[in-house]
Structure formats: structure tokens, C-alpha cells
Amino acid sequence: SLRGGYGEYFAVGNIVALVINSQAVPPLAVKGTHVNTSGTPTQFTLPLTFTAADARGIQMADYNVDTPTMHKWTLSVDQQLPLHSALQITYNGTRGYHLYQGLEGNPTVPVIVNNTPYWNGTQVRVNPNLGPTVNFTTSHAASKYNALVAQVATRLQSGLESQVSYTWAHNFDNTATASGQGDCSAADGMAQPVYANDPNRYDYGPTCFDVANTFRFNLIYHLPNFRGAGFVSKFTNGWRIASLYSFNSGYPFRPSLSALRAQNANLGGTKDIPNIATEADARACPAVSATCKFAPVPYNKRTVLLRKPSQWFNPNMFVMTPMYTSPGGAACTTATCPTPNRSWGTIGNVKRGILRGPNLSNLDFSLAKDIALNLLGDQSRLEFRWEVFNVLNHANFGMPSTATFAGG
């Protein structure tokens, strides 16, 4: 049989993100930050007072926010197989528009050369009267999802029933989140755009919850019953064993820098991204020396993942973004950029979701027995169940640290 469907959905009640991200909207509220620079403790007094030099910021939602919209379609083919089995192959696809996105609402204005933005840390923001950062929720994000699902199910036969399924899927967006990093807790640095003026250029890629491969297998076997009556049959009959195996491929993530070398003050200082190491980087620093703190290795997508608990990926395949003498100019040296605010930074070229975290693999087992309770009715049953989770004691690790360099 062949079945299909299409639907258009609107998140008309999804106002939680707008409420959460409208906590500091003038004139009713404003975020103030006071830094004590005197070196001695300051006693707080009520009401709190702020000086003209204290930073003022706002956290708000776009007044003209659109309704998040999702288009979804599916096509399924079913085919009966021998041995009481059935095959189902399904394609699922979605397109999301007007999705919520949290970004820097008052970005610093870069100097753009050859379509590349540069900052030296002295640029003013679009509205210099607002504070150091504006958490702004818009509806400019979009998403795309495609999945192919294959499933074989075997109905109960001779006490055995089973189901096996595999899903290949990819989910892409440009940082569509309703509550910022809270929506991407598994993948650090994937929730908000690194460049608010052009999220599609730097931040379009796999979503932080994209799982490319999913495999499931479950089996239930009803043990044969023994004829007879009495206590022995009540003990030996009604048993069944079951097992479930699950496999998910890892979540995507992007390597990051602890320092904001771009100097764009995005969202008050979100994690910056490095560059991919090239052959030229390896030739410039073939070994560790006084001028080379590490020896870069040209990026190779097949070997970048070491998959060790102590070091999940090879950080030497990434390098810090260079500082420049001028926008679009030569890379800095100690002689050409001796002091701060005389060097220019830009955003790295590592794509969003370029690496994958650890896979998840798990096998569970259960042994169960149904005991008839005729005193409570013909259909009454008491179930005894013994369950063992992660039978193989397989270690499933969390997401690794995304940091490649600790210094700036």
C-alpha cells in the first residue's frame, strides 16, 4: 500500500519564549550592571542605585514577531513479507519558517572588506545609548528536516514477535531556539549566532539535536506453556523474555575558543570559533618552539575524531583566527601589532556542527511472568518482572568539551 500526507502547522500558543525573553523591556524594566572597581567591598542599599557609567541592557522580543510555521509531509510504502512480517519504508520531511531565534539585538558595527567583517574592539553599537548587549528574540530562523525510515515488524508467531527499524535523518537550521542555550544543552556554543548580521553564513548547519543514525531492535519471546494443572504449571507457565537494543549516533558540535578574538562583543562575549588548520599552518609551525606553541595538523575529516574519553577530537587540526594589522590587511606579528586596539579580528571558518559527539548504545533485558488472579475476575493478572538495564555495561559518554585553545 502507498500512503502520504501533508500538513501546515502554526505554533499559535508558543508564547513562553516571548515571555521569558521580555524580562527587561523599557520603560517598565531595564537590566543594569554595576562593577565595583574600588577594590573594597561595597554595601548594598535599597533601593539599588546605579551610576551613569553603569551598563544598561535590555532583554526583549521583536514587536513584529511572526507566528512559527511548520510544513510537514510524509510518504509511506507498506509491503507484506513471508513469516507474518511486514516492511514499511517512510520518508518524512519538514520545513520550518518564522522560528524563534535569540541573537544580539544591538551588535557592534564592523568594517567590512571583501564581504568579511572586522573589529578591533573600539566599534560602537548600532544604538550606543543601550547597554553592552541586547538579548533579542526574533522569528527569523528556519529549519529543514529529511528522514528515511525502514521498519520490519514480525507479528506473534510460535511465541515470538519482533520489530527492527533504522532511521537516517538530517536536521538543519540557523540557530532556531526558543530559550537560547537551554535548547542546546548537549552541544555547547550551538544555540546563538556568532554574527547577528548574517546567521546563515556562519551558523547554518546541523541542529544541536540532530541525530543522523538511529537503530532500534526489540524482541519478545513467550516461553512454551506446559500442560497440566496444579502448582507446578502455575509456576512454569506464563513466562516471557524481552530485549531492547538502542543505538543513536552522536550529536553535532563545533570547536570553540575561550577568547573572543573577533572582538565583536557578540551577546556580551559568546564563544568564538577557530579556523581549520591547513597545509600552510603546518609548514609555518612544523614543531613546537618559542614561536610555535603547538604543531598544527592539516584538517582531515576522517581522522579528526580520536574518540578517546581523554581527548575526543584532535585540537591540533584547528588554529586560532589570525589578528590583522588592518581590515583585510596582513596578519599581525609582535612588531606590527604590539598593543591592544591596534589589531583587527574576524570570525573563524569552522562550520557549525562539523564534529560529532559520542554515540549512544544500550541493551536492556527483562524476564516477566503473568499470574492469573481468578478471585479478582477472569481477566485479572499479577505481573512479576525482572529487568536489567545496560546488560553489557557499555559506557555512554556525554558531550566533550569544545575548547581548542585556553588563551587568546
Side-chain angles (χ1 to χ4, degrees), residues 107-175:
T108 53
V109 181
V111 176
I112 298 178
V113 177
N114 296 328
N115 200 31
T116 300
Y118 294 88
W119 298 265
N120 70 349
T122 63
Q123 283 72 35
V124 298
R125 295 186 178 271
V126 173
N127 187 342
N129 297 315
L130 294 179
T133 185
V134 173
N135 293 290
F136 193 50
T137 300
T138 71
S139 55
H140 297 162
S143 69
K144 179 173 64 175
Y145 175 77
N146 292 286
L148 185 64
V149 184
Q151 175 180 290
V152 176
T154 302
R155 292 175 295 177
L156 182 62
Q157 180 185 21
S158 301
L160 181 66
E161 53 183 319
S162 64
Q163 183 176 4
V164 59
S165 66
Y166 170 74
T167 301
W168 175 89
H170 272 301
N171 196 353
F172 289 81
D173 70 9
N174 55 350
T175 66

Side-chain angles (χ1 to χ4, degrees), residues 168-236:
W168 175 89
H170 272 301
N171 196 353
F172 289 81
D173 70 9
N174 55 350
T175 66
T177 60
S179 58
Q181 187 59 45
D183 289 348
C184 289
S185 57
D188 190 21
M190 295 269 288
Q192 292 147 324
V194 297
Y195 183 40
N197 293 10
D198 192 0
N200 290 331
R201 177 180 177 182
Y202 293 98
D203 291 290
Y204 181 78
T207 64
C208 55
F209 45 83
D210 176 49
V211 177
N213 298 279
T214 302
F215 179 80
R216 296 288 187 274
F217 174 73
N218 66 76
L219 176 146
I220 301 176
Y221 179 60
H222 300 263
L223 297 177
N225 291 329
F226 295 92
R227 295 182 179 180
F231 175 78
V232 175
S233 63
K234 291 183 180 297
F235 177 78
T236 58

